[in-house]
């Protein structure tokens, strides 16, 4: 896609309040758009800044499987099923190290995992 065509599409999408489309164009052509950000209107530059921060962020979003695992952990903790929780967590250690996982755990799970030494 030509640079001028890309910039026109991004600015047009922002003007039409179609921020999702503008974001998709920016994400798909990030390097080119970032180098030519001076051609974007102010709202498009804000979306570019958001996308840049998202790319630079160390924290990754949780997948469906990871969200399901968190739900299972929360369920075991709510039922106070410690043996089931231990068995389920055997291959899930890396999941518990992520900051966004801790945000999704319920209080029961946080307390049990803390007592078990799985989280701080």
């Amino acid at each position: 896609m030509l640079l001028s065509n890309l910039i026109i599409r991004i600015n047009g999408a922002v003007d039409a309040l179609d921020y999702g489309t503008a974001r998709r164009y920016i994400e798909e052509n990030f390097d080119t758009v970032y180098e030519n950000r001076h051609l974007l209107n102010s709202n498009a530059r804000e979306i570019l800044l958001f996308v840049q921060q998202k790319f630079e962020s160390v924290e990754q979003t949780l997948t469906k499987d990871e969200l399901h695992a968190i739900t299972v952990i929360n369920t075991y903790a709510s039922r106070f099923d410690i043996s089931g929780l231990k068995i389920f967590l055997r291959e899930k250690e890396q999941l518990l190290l992520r900051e966004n996982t801790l945000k999704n755990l319920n209080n029961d799970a946080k307390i049990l995992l803390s007592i078990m030494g799985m989280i701080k």
Side-chain angles (χ1 to χ4, degrees):
M1 183 179 301
L2 292 174
L3 174 63
S4 60
N5 192 16
L6 178 63
I7 298 298
I8 290 169
R9 285 184 181 203
I10 293 171
N11 286 334
V14 170
D15 291 340
L17 303 177
D18 188 4
Y19 299 123
T21 301
R23 179 179 172 185
R24 190 182 76 232
Y25 284 136
I26 291 171
E27 287 175 344
E28 290 173 355
N29 304 288
F30 181 77
D31 294 330
T32 305
V33 173
Y34 187 79
E35 291 173 6
N36 298 288
R37 62 187 176 273
H38 62 279
L39 299 172
L40 297 172
N41 61 31
S42 62
N43 289 336
R45 280 192 295 261
E46 288 296 321
I47 295 172
L48 176 66
L49 179 63
F50 172 78
V51 170
Q52 179 186 13
Q53 290 171 348
K54 181 183 146 201
F55 283 155
E56 291 174 353
S57 173
V58 175
E59 185 175 312
Q60 298 174 342
T61 57
L62 295 170
T63 64
K64 277 186 170 182
D65 291 336
E66 291 168 338
L67 287 172
H68 176 68
I70 292 170
T71 303
V72 171
I73 292 169
N74 287 335
T75 303
Y76 279 128
S78 295
R79 294 179 182 166
F80 204 69
D81 184 0
I82 296 173
S83 61
L85 184 61
K86 284 182 178 179
I87 292 169
F88 183 75
L89 289 174
R90 282 192 182 144
E91 298 177 6
K92 307 285 191 260
E93 298 88 7
Q94 293 298 320
L95 179 62
L96 295 176
L97 297 176
R98 295 176 49 185
E99 183 67 32
N100 52 357
T101 299
L102 299 179
K103 293 176 186 175
N104 290 301
L105 292 173
N106 64 19
N107 288 335
D108 294 334
K110 288 178 184 176
I111 292 169
L112 281 177
L113 292 172
S114 178
I115 290 171
M116 293 168 60
M118 300 290 283
I119 61 172
K120 293 181 181 180

